[in-house]
Amino acid sequence: CIAGVISLEDALRLVSERARLIKSVAPGAMLSVALGEAETRTWLTESGLPLDLAAVNGTDQCVVAGPIEAIKEFRARLNARRIAAMQLPMSYAYHSRQMASIGDAFAACLAGIRLQTPTIPMEKCIETEHAVDTPAYWLAHLLRPVRFAEGLGRIVDSGLHCFLEIGPGDALTQLTRRLHGADPATRAIASQSTRHEHNDAIFLTALGELWSAGLPVDWRAVYRRHRGTPVRIVSLPIY
């Protein structure tokens, strides 16, 4: 939406339809594994279980997805070898072969969406030759693993070092700090809480961090949004 590839209205419709289709898929699970991509793929091949690599989040952090019982078995095998593995709070096996059953229906939904060339640069985190303004890219996004670490690395290499997470929570913020936190020039900032009542405070804190990082802020727009919001001043001791 921000890059202008999909309008807000079409994005809401697409996300809603995608969620409806996923509900028709058999329940699944996702497992965070403390292994690199090559090691994870070896384990998956040797396990013989119907599991897929769903994400590569770092040199020693991947996510595996598949049927619930297969995930439980895979986790038990890893733990027996003292390899850390944690099941994620997901009800479906995203970015896995289990999503293939809704591929045709999702492609039909994409055919009704107007996709446009991005107005600002976008970094792909899916391994595909398709451009982001084609239905084929978003279909690949449904089925193929997310290569977050690679995409983020390319952005940092291009000279950009300030990152704002625009969804609820701070999962991507924490991943970014884990991957590039040693660089004092890199900042990762969360903008929303998973708990709605704290969103204003987190939003304003994020705004302050962006401003202190040297990014321009439209203060008139900020003041218009928060006009009339009660402000409480608290005196804190300085040690």
Side-chain angles (χ1 to χ4, degrees), residues 40-201:
T40 301
R41 288 188 182 277
T42 298
W43 269 86
L44 288 172
T45 300
E46 293 179 352
S47 74
L49 297 168
L51 300 173
D52 296 294
L53 179 69
V56 182
N57 291 330
T59 55
D60 61 350
Q61 189 174 3
C62 291
V63 176
V64 171
I68 296 172
E69 292 305 316
I71 285 290
K72 288 181 179 178
E73 173 63 23
F74 193 65
R75 181 181 183 182
R77 295 184 191 183
L78 290 171
N79 288 344
R81 295 286 296 275
R82 297 192 177 185
I83 298 172
M86 180 180 69
Q87 191 163 331
L88 302 177
M90 303 290 183
S91 302
Y92 298 93
Y94 299 100
H95 302 285
S96 78
R97 72 189 77 177
Q98 285 194 268
M99 295 294 113
S101 62
I102 63 172
D104 291 343
F106 189 58
C109 181
L110 285 163
I113 300 292
R114 184 185 179 190
L115 301 172
Q116 302 187 79
T117 303
T119 57
I120 58 175
M122 282 186 65
E123 180 58 57
K124 291 182 184 179
C125 284
I126 301 291
E127 202 170 71
T128 174
E129 69 279 8
H130 302 294
V132 297
D133 56 352
T134 63
Y137 173 82
W138 298 102
L139 185 60
H141 196 284
L142 180 74
L143 302 171
R144 297 185 185 180
V146 176
R147 310 188 69 85
F148 179 79
E150 286 184 21
L152 182 66
R154 287 191 292 267
I155 294 173
V156 171
D157 290 343
S158 74
L160 298 175
H161 295 276
C162 191
F163 298 91
L164 177 69
E165 183 167 358
I166 59 173
D170 64 351
L172 299 182
T173 298
Q174 295 300 331
L175 273 177
T176 301
R177 289 173 181 171
R178 186 172 183 269
L179 289 166
H180 297 281
D183 179 3
T186 299
R187 293 198 187 195
I189 303 164
S191 63
Q192 294 185 48
S193 169
T194 52
R195 300 180 62 187
H196 178 71
E197 64 269 24
H198 298 311
N199 269 344
D200 260 11

Side-chain angles (χ1 to χ4, degrees), residues 198-228:
H198 298 311
N199 269 344
D200 260 11
I202 290 178
F203 170 80
L204 291 172
T205 299
L207 187 66
E209 290 192 56
L210 291 169
W211 175 76
S212 67
L215 276 73
V217 174
D218 183 349
W219 292 111
R220 291 182 182 274
V222 174
Y223 293 143
R224 280 198 302 271
R225 181 181 187 276
H226 289 277
R227 185 174 297 161

